[in-house]
Amino acid sequence: MTFWALIILTALLITLFLGYSMLRGQKTREPAAAYDLRVYREQLASVDRDLARGVIAQADAERVRTEISRRILAADAQMQKQTTQSGAPRWATGVAIVVVAAVLVGGGAWMYRQTGAAGLPDQPLAQRIERAEVLRAERPRQSEFEADLPSAPRPQLDESYATLLQQLRDTVAERPDDLQGHVLLAQHESNAGNFSAAYKAQERVIELSGSTASADAYSHLAEMMILAANGYVSPEAEEALRQALSRDPRHGPAQYYLGQMMAQLGRPDIAYRIWVDTLRDSPAGAPWADAIRAQLDDLAFRAGVFNPPDIPSASTPSGPSQDDIDAAAELSAEERQEMIRGMINQLSDRLATEGGAPEEWARLINALGVVGDRDRAVAIYEESLSVFAGNEGALQTLSAAAQRAGILQ
């Protein structure tokens, strides 16, 4: 009630101020005869002064007074006829003041009811930060949150794929120390939508990898946990994200999920800073960058940032146009192979002169493997390792490309 009383009182004070301004504007317009009247009165006073100094005679003074008095009477009569009130009548001004009061008080109350939060207690920054820390410390763990989730229907798998997946499960169960088997199991459980089973297999992958576990391995673990919890970032998922970032501080997916966690905990300010930094470092076409851009405006509003920086998208890696694809379809096998080699050479020259993202180097390595140029693929791979030395995420991308190209076991 105190809040509403203050709002209504403020609206009424504004109405009084506006009403006073409207009433004050109703001034009397002075006719031209009023100026003449002031002149004649000044002339009458001058006659008295001249007579006192002896400049004119008494008879002349009387005659001049009579003439000036006649003119004063005529001007006064004319002024009375010409005097008019400016502006609207007083009754119209009164109605306008009442309307303004109704709009300010009633309209303001209606608008606040539509967009405001009546009864919401004060939320000072220190209290919000403290509440976020408590929420972070007391939030449910992964198993607790999953247990409270409603059961969701399992996706229907192709019968042959379901059979192969079950065979993989049985094989891994018989060979608990098979690293590659657990890697495949985590990947295929995730593909099948069994995220709980996927992150359990991924935990075993990290356990078997030991100190050699990469940032990607921990990031995949966190992602599987988050997907299993319908987007909730648990303490276990947070620890996996921290492990990924300790190995690669610029790891895009880990930064994205860390920002998501901060937003969930009531710290959109920290989440916003994390996501902006992630966008600046993201390569062209990064899926996490698209997800950040889709949510950044809303997050900026929650963080109190009303002029977010304009972060342009990274240049999209060049590739064949639709015309190139259509033209390639009409070529013979030899001509098509020559065209592919020309595009590979263009990409290679550009990377050698201008540099590029790890994904572009990986694309070149993979393309060379496809066309069977293994020696050149090895040379490009070795060059890329020196270019991105120390960047764990980039090295993982390049290593995966080399494996697909068949030059790295």
Side-chain angles (χ1 to χ4, degrees):
M1 288 304 298
T2 303
F3 173 79
W4 286 110
L6 290 174
I7 291 296
I8 294 173
L9 179 60
T10 302
L12 290 175
L13 289 175
I14 294 173
T15 303
L16 290 175
F17 176 77
L18 293 176
Y20 173 74
S21 300
M22 295 168 68
L23 291 173
R24 189 179 178 188
Q26 288 190 330
K27 296 180 179 179
T28 301
R29 183 182 299 121
E30 186 178 67
Y35 175 74
D36 295 340
L37 188 59
R38 288 196 297 271
V39 172
Y40 296 151
R41 287 172 177 165
E42 180 61 29
Q43 289 177 348
L44 192 59
S46 299
V47 171
D48 293 335
R49 289 194 296 271
D50 292 342
L51 181 60
R53 292 198 306 269
V55 176
I56 60 175
Q58 180 67 37
D60 293 333
E62 291 296 333
R63 181 175 57 79
V64 172
R65 281 198 194 96
T66 302
E67 178 60 24
I68 293 175
S69 298
R70 184 186 64 77
R71 293 180 181 181
I72 288 175
L73 292 173
D76 184 66
Q78 184 180 3
M79 187 179 67
Q80 293 296 331
K81 293 179 181 179
Q82 294 179 352
T83 299
T84 58
Q85 287 287 333
S86 64
R90 285 187 174 273
W91 67 267
T93 302
V95 171
I97 293 174
V98 173
V99 171
V100 169
V103 170
L104 286 175
V105 178
W110 176 84
M111 184 178 295
Y112 186 79
R113 280 191 171 276
Q114 295 295 115
T115 61
L120 189 69
D122 292 340
Q123 299 188 50
L125 179 59
Q127 187 180 72
R128 282 180 284 159
I129 293 175
E130 181 181 356
R131 187 163 57 244
E133 291 300 324
V134 172
L135 178 61
R136 182 176 182 176
E138 297 180 354
R139 71 191 195 275
R141 303 190 67 80
Q142 183 77 24
S143 58
E144 296 171 350
F145 192 88
E146 287 187 52
D148 292 337
L149 288 175
S151 58
R154 290 291 183 90
Q156 294 295 323
L157 301 178
D158 180 76
E159 184 176 354
S160 59
Y161 182 72
T163 301
L164 291 174
L165 179 57
Q166 187 58 48
Q167 291 176 354
L168 178 60
R169 290 169 181 162
D170 296 339
T171 301
V172 171
E174 295 173 359
R175 301 162 59 183
D177 295 332
D178 183 358
L179 174 60
Q180 189 61 32
H182 281 89
V183 170
L184 292 174
L185 181 60
Q187 176 183 344
H188 287 286
E189 292 285 15
S190 179
N191 293 341
N194 303 325
F195 298 114
S196 294
Y199 78 70
K200 289 180 174 64
Q202 187 66 16
E203 287 177 333
R204 183 59 179 161
V205 169
I206 292 175
E207 183 180 350
L208 293 172
S209 300
S211 60
T212 63
S214 65
D216 280 340
Y218 281 100
S219 177
H220 292 332
L221 172 61
E223 184 175 38
M224 293 169 185
M225 287 181 169
I226 293 168
L227 292 174
N230 287 350
Y232 167 70
V233 185
S234 66
E236 293 88 343
E238 179 187 358
E239 177 59 26
L241 294 174
R242 299 290 183 187
Q243 291 290 340
L245 291 172
S246 69
R247 289 160 172 77
D248 180 9
R250 299 171 63 186
H251 195 277
Q255 287 180 308
Y256 167 72
Y257 285 118
L258 187 65
Q260 180 176 313
M261 182 195 74
M262 289 299 178
Q264 290 178 359
L265 295 176
R267 293 305 304 271
D269 53 330
I270 298 178
Y272 177 79
R273 292 196 297 270
I274 292 174
W275 278 5
V276 167
D277 292 340
T278 305
L279 272 185
R280 291 195 173 102
D281 294 336
S282 297
W288 61 87
D290 295 336
I292 288 175
R293 291 183 188 280
Q295 306 172 66
L296 192 61
D297 287 343
D298 178 65
L299 185 64
F301 177 79
R302 292 171 56 195
V305 179
F306 300 102
N307 293 295
D310 183 17
I311 305 174
S313 301
S315 300
T316 303
S318 59
S321 64
Q322 187 61 43
D323 292 338
D324 294 332
I325 297 173
D326 295 339
E330 301 175 358
L331 300 177
S332 64
E334 294 77 8
E335 291 173 331
R336 190 179 300 115
Q337 189 77 356
E338 187 64 27
M339 179 181 178
I340 293 173
R341 287 188 176 277
M343 297 173 64
I344 290 175
N345 290 335
Q346 289 179 0
L347 178 58
S348 178
D349 292 341
R350 183 168 64 80
L351 293 179
T353 56
E354 302 176 9
E359 288 75 14
E360 294 179 287
W361 287 83
R363 188 156 58 92
L364 177 59
I365 294 168
N366 189 55
L368 289 170
V370 171
V371 299
D373 197 343
R374 292 175 54 86
D375 294 339
R376 191 176 173 193
V378 171
I380 293 295
Y381 174 61
E382 292 176 350
E383 181 183 356
S384 67
L385 293 180
S386 62
V387 171
F388 295 99
N391 187 334
E392 183 66 26
L395 294 178
Q396 290 290 332
T397 301
L398 296 169
S399 176
Q403 289 178 353
R404 289 193 299 270
I407 62 173
L408 184 65
Q409 300 301 324

